[in-house]
Amino acid sequence: MTFDQIINELKKKIYRPIYFLQGEETFYIDQIADFIENNVLSESEKEFNQSILYGKDVDAPTLVSYAKRYPMMSTHQVVIVKEAQNIKSFSEKEKEAGTKDKDFKDPLVEYLLKPTPSTILVFCYKYKSLDKRKKLTKTIEKSALLFDSKKLYDNQIPEWIKARVLSLGYLINQKAVILMSEYLGNDLSKINNELGKLILSIKPGVEITASMVEENIGISKEFNVFELQSALTKRNVYKANQIVNYFIANPKNNPMVLTNTQLYSYFLKVIQLHKLDHRVGEKAAEALGVNPYFVKDYEAASRAYTLNDCIRNISFIRDYDAKSKGINNASSNDGQLLKELVYKILH
């Protein structure tokens, strides 16, 4: 089931006995677990019927003892295991015990095969997924609602931001979207937290702009990837190097991998523009998949860089992206690589 399907089912008070939420993207795992924690039971029911456990503090027999309890003055009890990836490997315990006792049965596997109907057991298994070869995994696939929360690709983040902002009752312009996705990366929890702080200062229905993002999220107005693109388009060597030096001094906020991704996308669109018959207006914007507001920037870049220049720049960016990941690079750090890349683009 998808995230939306699970939430819609929960809103209709349709509950499963076991939810196993796994994967690298923790945002959706937290959202589902939080919805169950906050909405299944009333405040008075939670005192006796809701248990929040942590993987590092619980073993299989203890967990099963919680799950087998019956609710008090309620139709359900809720047991949520946070950081479930820290539970000791049951497959290891089974293997260890199996050498001594051939009749060993994993208590958790036994429970999963026959869960208590009135219990809602939720596993929050973060940052990875279960080994599909293990008996426990096969049992979960048969007995539980298994949700795999995968990381979004970088190019999916802008659309996710727009959809998330809309769901919160606000609008956001394209430049603000790109600025957030470039600065915050693909960590959905981090983006959501920053959006939460951002909307505290504006009224519902108001459009979020790039200046609002800069002011509330702490992005430098002068030294960001958009200003770097502008400096490269204007062939402003001094400004481009100022920005590069700022990136080098603030690597956590300006990782080279994200800078490369944005520059690659930028010059790829300039190549697309070179091949269009109409390089201005809404037709060009539609062909490039951008807001019409940005077409003038790409049009200016197409005058500054010929089609061959852009193809060459794409090649440079690919080469230096590989070097930043250790390919054909023995000693240069990201700062040195970025300086070299910008130098080659400008010359």
Side-chain angles (χ1 to χ4, degrees):
M1 294 180 72
T2 66
F3 169 78
D4 289 334
Q5 288 172 329
I6 293 171
I7 293 296
N8 287 335
E9 193 175 82
L10 289 168
K11 286 179 178 178
K12 295 175 183 177
K13 299 188 182 300
I14 300 172
Y15 305 132
R16 307 297 182 102
I18 304 164
Y19 293 84
F20 200 94
L21 316 173
Q22 67 174 8
E24 293 183 15
E25 182 47 71
T26 62
F27 175 78
Y28 292 116
I29 294 173
D30 289 337
Q31 289 282 301
I32 295 170
D34 288 348
F35 189 94
I36 293 171
E37 181 179 345
N38 296 326
N39 295 282
V40 171
L41 302 176
S42 67
E43 289 303 317
S44 60
E45 290 173 327
K46 287 178 184 178
E47 185 175 356
F48 297 105
N49 300 294
Q50 185 157 287
S51 302
I52 309 297
L53 308 175
Y54 289 85
K56 65 179 181 179
D57 300 324
V58 69
D59 57 17
T62 304
L63 176 56
V64 170
S65 71
Y66 272 90
K68 284 186 174 181
R69 293 175 182 173
Y70 289 98
M72 293 178 61
M73 297 175 288
S74 176
T75 56
H76 292 90
Q77 74 141 341
V78 174
V79 179
I80 299 175
V81 188
K82 297 189 176 184
E83 310 296 340
Q85 71 277 8
N86 293 326
I87 298 174
K88 184 177 179 182
S89 170
F90 302 120
S91 58
E92 285 181 15
K93 290 182 72 174
E94 182 178 3
K95 184 178 179 181
E96 291 168 4
T99 60
K100 301 174 184 178
D101 183 0
K102 293 182 180 180
D103 296 323
F104 170 79
K105 292 182 179 180
D106 187 325
L108 183 57
V109 171
E110 293 298 302
Y111 178 82
L112 293 171
L113 290 170
K114 193 175 180 180
T116 304
S118 56
T119 295
I120 299 170
L121 177 58
V122 184
F123 292 91
C124 301
Y125 192 91
K126 295 182 175 181
Y127 310 111
K128 55 184 177 180
S129 298
L130 288 168
D131 186 338
K132 291 186 177 181
R133 298 170 297 178
K134 303 298 182 183
K135 181 179 179 181
L136 177 63
T137 309
K138 293 175 182 177
T139 304
I140 288 170
E141 288 175 340
K142 291 179 182 178
S143 306
L145 190 158
L146 178 61
F147 174 70
D148 196 6
S149 186
K150 296 179 180 179
K151 277 281 187 187
L152 296 185
Y153 293 111
D154 288 340
N155 63 0
Q156 295 175 302
I157 298 299
E159 284 304 315
W160 186 90
I161 291 173
K162 283 195 279 189
R164 183 61 180 165
V165 169
L166 191 62
S167 73
L168 294 171
Y170 297 83
L171 302 172
I172 185 168
N173 69 30
Q174 188 69 10
K175 188 171 183 180
V177 167
I178 297 174
L179 189 59
M180 287 194 72
S181 62
E182 169 63 21
Y183 185 76
L184 299 174
N186 64 351
D187 185 333
L188 300 189
S189 295
K190 184 177 181 181
I191 294 171
N192 191 60
N193 289 339
E194 294 296 341
L195 280 173
K197 291 188 287 185
L198 178 59
I199 63 178
L200 288 175
S201 61
I202 57 178
K203 295 179 180 179
V206 170
E207 183 178 66
I208 297 171
T209 64
S211 61
M212 291 178 183
V213 172
E214 289 169 344
E215 290 168 8
N216 290 276
I217 299 180
I219 301 173
S220 169
K221 291 183 179 181
E222 289 188 74
F223 305 112
N224 57 61
V225 71
F226 300 105
E227 294 303 321
L228 177 59
Q229 288 171 181
S230 177
L232 292 176
T233 295
K234 296 173 182 175
R235 292 191 177 274
N236 187 331
V237 176
Y238 177 73
K239 183 66 175 181
N241 280 292
Q242 267 192 319
I243 296 168
V244 167
N245 288 332
Y246 179 84
F247 284 6
I248 293 170
N250 299 274
K252 289 185 178 180
N253 294 335
N254 305 280
M256 186 169 181
V257 63
L258 294 180
T259 302
N260 284 342
T261 299
Q262 189 62 32
L263 291 179
Y264 179 88
S265 175
Y266 187 68
F267 280 107
L268 197 60
K269 283 183 169 57
V270 180
I271 289 174
Q272 289 177 278
L273 192 65
H274 270 295
K275 295 181 178 181
L276 294 178
D277 293 329
H278 302 282
R279 297 190 184 184
V280 294
E282 291 188 3
K283 285 188 177 180
E286 185 178 349
L288 297 179
V290 301
N291 189 293
Y293 173 84
F294 290 98
V295 172
K296 65 181 187 301
D297 297 330
Y298 294 110
E299 204 275 327
S302 72
R303 293 195 303 271
Y305 297 92
T306 65
L307 178 60
N308 286 336
D309 288 338
C310 293
I311 294 171
R312 179 205 65 174
N313 290 344
I314 287 286
S315 178
F316 288 153
I317 293 165
R318 283 177 172 169
D319 184 32
Y320 279 85
D321 183 59
K323 286 182 178 181
S324 72
K325 296 170 182 172
I327 300 172
N328 297 323
N329 175 33
S331 59
S332 297
N333 59 37
D334 282 359
Q336 293 169 322
L337 293 174
L338 186 56
K339 278 189 173 183
E340 290 178 17
L341 172 60
V342 168
Y343 176 85
K344 287 193 172 186
I345 290 173
L346 287 168
H347 291 81

